[in-house]
Amino acid sequence: MEIRPETPQDIFAIRELTEAAFAPMPYSDGSEAQIIDRLREEGNLTLSLVTLDQDQVLAHIAFSPVTIDRTQGNWCGLGPVSVAPSWQKQGIGTTLIGEGLSRMKKRGAAGCVLIGAPDFYQRFGFQSDPALSYGNVPRQFVQFLSFDGVIPKGAIRYPPAFEISGA
Ligand SMILES: CC(C)(COP(=O)(O)OP(=O)(O)OC[C@H]1O[C@@H](n2cnc3c(N)ncnc32)[C@H](O)[C@@H]1OP(=O)(O)O)[C@@H](O)C(=O)NCCC(=O)NCCS
Protein backbone atom coordinates (compact mmCIF):
# COMPACT_ATOMS: atom_id res chain seq x y z
CA MET A 1 0.00 0.00 0.00
CA GLU A 2 1.11 3.50 -0.80
CA ILE A 3 0.44 6.78 1.01
CA ARG A 4 0.81 9.97 -1.01
CA PRO A 5 -0.70 13.47 -1.35
CA GLU A 6 -3.94 13.68 -3.34
CA THR A 7 -3.93 14.48 -7.04
CA PRO A 8 -6.87 15.96 -9.00
CA GLN A 9 -7.68 12.43 -10.23
CA ASP A 10 -8.37 11.34 -6.62
CA ILE A 11 -11.02 13.96 -5.84
CA PHE A 12 -14.07 11.95 -6.89
CA ALA A 13 -12.84 8.82 -5.06
CA ILE A 14 -12.15 10.84 -1.90
CA ARG A 15 -15.71 12.20 -1.97
CA GLU A 16 -17.25 8.74 -2.43
CA LEU A 17 -15.05 7.14 0.20
CA THR A 18 -15.80 9.86 2.76
CA GLU A 19 -19.56 9.61 2.20
CA ALA A 20 -19.49 5.80 2.51
CA ALA A 21 -17.34 5.80 5.66
CA PHE A 22 -19.38 8.40 7.56
CA ALA A 23 -22.85 7.26 6.42
CA PRO A 24 -23.34 4.72 9.26
CA MET A 25 -21.83 6.98 11.94
CA PRO A 26 -24.40 8.33 14.43
CA TYR A 27 -22.28 11.45 15.05
CA SER A 28 -22.12 12.35 11.35
CA ASP A 29 -24.32 15.03 9.81
CA GLY A 30 -23.28 13.96 6.30
CA SER A 31 -21.27 17.12 5.67
CA GLU A 32 -17.74 15.63 5.73
CA ALA A 33 -17.21 15.13 1.97
CA GLN A 34 -18.44 18.67 1.32
CA ILE A 35 -16.10 20.04 3.98
CA ILE A 36 -13.12 18.52 2.16
CA ASP A 37 -14.26 20.02 -1.17
CA ARG A 38 -14.72 23.42 0.46
CA LEU A 39 -11.33 23.28 2.19
CA ARG A 40 -9.76 22.63 -1.21
CA GLU A 41 -11.67 25.53 -2.81
CA GLU A 42 -10.71 27.88 0.04
CA GLY A 43 -7.05 26.95 -0.17
CA ASN A 44 -7.26 25.54 3.35
CA LEU A 45 -6.52 21.91 2.55
CA THR A 46 -3.02 22.05 4.07
CA LEU A 47 -2.38 18.35 3.58
CA SER A 48 -4.59 15.76 1.92
CA LEU A 49 -3.22 12.23 1.90
CA VAL A 50 -4.61 9.08 0.34
CA THR A 51 -3.82 5.42 0.96
CA LEU A 52 -3.84 3.39 -2.24
CA ASP A 53 -3.82 -0.28 -3.06
CA GLN A 54 -3.29 -0.93 -6.77
CA ASP A 55 -4.59 2.55 -7.70
CA GLN A 56 -7.74 2.16 -5.57
CA VAL A 57 -8.20 4.89 -2.94
CA LEU A 58 -8.85 3.08 0.36
CA ALA A 59 -8.41 5.87 2.87
CA HIS A 60 -8.09 9.63 3.13
CA ILE A 61 -7.06 12.23 5.68
CA ALA A 62 -7.32 16.03 5.62
CA PHE A 63 -5.41 18.61 7.65
CA SER A 64 -6.31 22.30 7.72
CA PRO A 65 -5.11 25.39 9.62
CA VAL A 66 -6.85 26.29 12.88
CA THR A 67 -6.43 29.12 15.34
CA ILE A 68 -6.75 28.73 19.09
CA ASP A 69 -7.47 31.74 21.31
CA ARG A 70 -4.67 32.42 23.77
CA THR A 71 -2.31 30.00 21.96
CA GLN A 72 0.45 30.91 19.53
CA GLY A 73 1.97 28.88 16.71
CA ASN A 74 0.74 27.16 13.57
CA TRP A 75 -1.77 24.60 14.78
CA CYS A 76 -3.57 22.27 12.41
CA GLY A 77 -6.89 20.47 12.55
CA LEU A 78 -7.02 16.76 11.76
CA GLY A 79 -9.99 15.52 9.79
CA PRO A 80 -12.11 14.43 8.21
CA VAL A 81 -10.40 11.04 8.11
CA SER A 82 -11.95 7.92 6.65
CA VAL A 83 -11.22 4.36 5.62
CA ALA A 84 -13.47 2.55 3.13
CA PRO A 85 -15.95 0.45 5.17
CA SER A 86 -14.74 -2.92 3.87
CA TRP A 87 -11.12 -2.01 4.70
CA GLN A 88 -11.64 -0.80 8.27
CA LYS A 89 -10.10 -2.41 11.38
CA GLN A 90 -6.97 -3.56 9.55
CA GLY A 91 -4.64 -0.82 10.75
CA ILE A 92 -4.99 1.36 7.64
CA GLY A 93 -6.44 4.33 9.57
CA THR A 94 -3.78 4.16 12.28
CA THR A 95 -0.97 4.09 9.70
CA LEU A 96 -2.44 6.97 7.68
CA ILE A 97 -3.05 9.16 10.73
CA GLY A 98 0.49 8.47 11.97
CA GLU A 99 1.95 9.40 8.58
CA GLY A 100 -0.15 12.58 8.41
CA LEU A 101 0.91 13.71 11.88
CA SER A 102 4.55 13.04 11.09
CA ARG A 103 4.33 15.11 7.89
CA MET A 104 2.62 18.01 9.70
CA LYS A 105 5.32 17.96 12.38
CA LYS A 106 8.06 18.05 9.73
CA ARG A 107 6.31 21.05 8.14
CA GLY A 108 6.72 22.92 11.40
CA ALA A 109 3.22 22.71 12.89
CA ALA A 110 3.07 23.42 16.63
CA GLY A 111 0.58 20.62 17.05
CA CYS A 112 -2.75 19.27 15.97
CA VAL A 113 -6.31 19.35 17.31
CA LEU A 114 -9.36 17.26 16.50
CA ILE A 115 -12.87 16.45 17.56
CA GLY A 116 -13.15 12.69 17.97
CA ALA A 117 -13.32 9.56 20.08
CA PRO A 118 -10.71 9.69 22.90
CA ASP A 119 -10.32 5.89 22.93
CA PHE A 120 -9.14 5.87 19.34
CA TYR A 121 -6.91 8.95 19.29
CA GLN A 122 -5.09 8.45 22.57
CA ARG A 123 -2.88 5.86 20.81
CA PHE A 124 -1.26 8.77 18.96
CA GLY A 125 -0.80 10.78 22.16
CA PHE A 126 -3.89 12.98 21.83
CA GLN A 127 -5.39 14.25 25.08
CA SER A 128 -8.01 16.73 26.21
CA ASP A 129 -7.71 19.71 28.52
CA PRO A 130 -10.47 21.65 30.29
CA ALA A 131 -9.05 24.88 28.86
CA LEU A 132 -9.35 23.76 25.23
CA SER A 133 -12.82 24.11 23.71
CA TYR A 134 -14.81 23.92 20.50
CA GLY A 135 -18.32 25.34 20.75
CA ASN A 136 -20.48 23.18 22.98
CA VAL A 137 -18.66 19.93 22.21
CA PRO A 138 -17.98 18.01 25.45
CA ARG A 139 -14.35 18.63 26.40
CA GLN A 140 -13.25 14.99 26.32
CA PHE A 141 -13.90 14.93 22.55
CA VAL A 142 -11.83 18.09 21.98
CA GLN A 143 -8.31 16.74 21.76
CA PHE A 144 -4.81 18.00 21.05
CA LEU A 145 -1.36 16.64 20.30
CA SER A 146 1.43 19.12 20.92
CA PHE A 147 4.61 18.76 18.85
CA ASP A 148 6.57 21.30 20.90
CA GLY A 149 5.25 20.72 24.41
CA VAL A 150 2.97 23.78 24.49
CA ILE A 151 -0.45 23.03 26.00
CA PRO A 152 -3.05 24.86 23.87
CA LYS A 153 -5.67 26.93 25.70
CA GLY A 154 -8.76 28.65 24.37
CA ALA A 155 -11.43 28.22 21.74
CA ILE A 156 -10.56 26.45 18.50
CA ARG A 157 -11.56 28.12 15.24
CA TYR A 158 -11.66 25.98 12.12
CA PRO A 159 -11.65 27.37 8.55
CA PRO A 160 -15.00 28.54 7.04
CA ALA A 161 -15.42 25.15 5.29
CA PHE A 162 -16.45 23.66 8.62
CA GLU A 163 -19.28 26.12 9.18
CA ILE A 164 -21.65 23.83 7.23
CA SER A 165 -21.19 21.14 9.87
CA GLY A 166 -23.59 20.97 12.80
CA ALA A 167 -20.79 21.06 15.41
C1 LIG B 1 -12.02 5.88 12.35
C2 LIG B 1 -11.39 5.17 11.16
C3 LIG B 1 -10.70 6.20 10.27
C4 LIG B 1 -10.33 4.19 11.70
O1 LIG B 1 -9.72 3.54 10.61
P1 LIG B 1 -9.42 1.97 10.69
O2 LIG B 1 -8.52 1.63 9.56
O3 LIG B 1 -10.70 1.23 10.80
O4 LIG B 1 -8.64 1.90 12.09
P2 LIG B 1 -7.52 0.89 12.52
O5 LIG B 1 -7.76 -0.45 11.90
O6 LIG B 1 -6.20 1.51 12.30
O7 LIG B 1 -7.80 0.85 14.07
C5 LIG B 1 -8.96 0.20 14.50
C6 LIG B 1 -9.20 0.61 15.91
O8 LIG B 1 -9.91 1.83 15.93
C7 LIG B 1 -11.03 1.68 16.74
N1 LIG B 1 -12.05 2.63 16.27
C8 LIG B 1 -12.43 2.88 15.01
N2 LIG B 1 -13.40 3.82 15.01
C9 LIG B 1 -13.58 4.19 16.28
C10 LIG B 1 -14.43 5.10 16.94
N3 LIG B 1 -15.30 5.87 16.26
N4 LIG B 1 -14.37 5.20 18.28
C11 LIG B 1 -13.48 4.46 18.99
N5 LIG B 1 -12.65 3.58 18.42
C12 LIG B 1 -12.71 3.43 17.10
C13 LIG B 1 -11.40 0.25 16.58
O9 LIG B 1 -12.22 -0.18 17.62
C14 LIG B 1 -10.02 -0.40 16.66
O10 LIG B 1 -9.53 -0.46 17.97
P3 LIG B 1 -8.40 -1.48 18.43
O11 LIG B 1 -7.17 -1.22 17.61
O12 LIG B 1 -8.20 -1.17 19.87
O13 LIG B 1 -8.98 -2.83 18.14
C15 LIG B 1 -12.41 4.35 10.34
O14 LIG B 1 -13.04 3.42 11.21
C16 LIG B 1 -13.49 5.18 9.67
O15 LIG B 1 -13.34 5.58 8.51
N6 LIG B 1 -14.64 5.42 10.36
C17 LIG B 1 -15.75 6.15 9.78
C18 LIG B 1 -15.43 7.62 9.65
C19 LIG B 1 -15.03 8.20 10.99
O16 LIG B 1 -15.69 7.98 12.00
N7 LIG B 1 -13.91 8.97 10.99
C20 LIG B 1 -13.33 9.51 12.20
C21 LIG B 1 -14.14 10.59 12.79
S1 LIG B 1 -13.43 11.14 14.33
Side-chain angles (χ1 to χ4, degrees):
M1 284 189 199
E2 180 196 359
I3 294 176
R4 61 153 173 77
E6 70 164 40
T7 67
Q9 287 70 34
D10 300 323
I11 290 174
F12 183 74
I14 291 170
R15 203 176 291 145
E16 286 213 311
L17 154 73
T18 304
E19 283 173 359
F22 278 95
M25 296 299 147
Y27 45 77
S28 167
D29 62 4
S31 64
E32 295 82 6
Q34 231 183 316
I35 289 172
I36 298 165
D37 285 340
R38 289 195 183 198
L39 284 171
R40 196 181 290 112
E41 286 161 22
E42 287 171 4
N44 279 325
L45 196 49
T46 313
L47 179 63
S48 176
L49 293 176
V50 289
T51 301
L52 296 136
D53 182 37
Q54 298 178 348
D55 291 338
Q56 190 192 349
V57 178
L58 305 184
H60 173 259
I61 191 166
F63 291 87
S64 58
V66 300
T67 59
I68 309 171
D69 295 353
R70 302 190 277 127
T71 306
Q72 293 187 331
N74 294 321
W75 285 78
C76 63
L78 186 163
V81 54
S82 45
V83 175
S86 58
W87 291 84
Q88 291 177 7
K89 298 196 192 284
Q90 299 176 40
I92 294 173
T94 298
T95 303
L96 181 60
I97 292 166
E99 175 68 20
L101 290 170
S102 151
R103 289 191 190 213
M104 290 310 301
K105 188 177 176 182
K106 277 191 202 135
R107 287 176 176 216
C112 192
V113 297
L114 61 82
I115 312 301
D119 290 354
F120 181 58
Y121 290 103
Q122 70 184 13
R123 71 191 65 194
F124 305 100
F126 279 92
Q127 54 186 303
S128 56
D129 187 285
L132 184 66
S133 65
Y134 181 60
N136 295 324
V137 175
R139 299 292 162 98
Q140 72 267 30
F141 297 107
V142 182
Q143 297 171 67
F144 73 93
L145 176 64
S146 176
F147 296 145
D148 59 10
V150 170
I151 308 295
K153 294 192 190 309
I156 300 169
R157 280 181 222 283
Y158 277 89
F162 284 88
E163 283 164 16
I164 56 167
S165 101

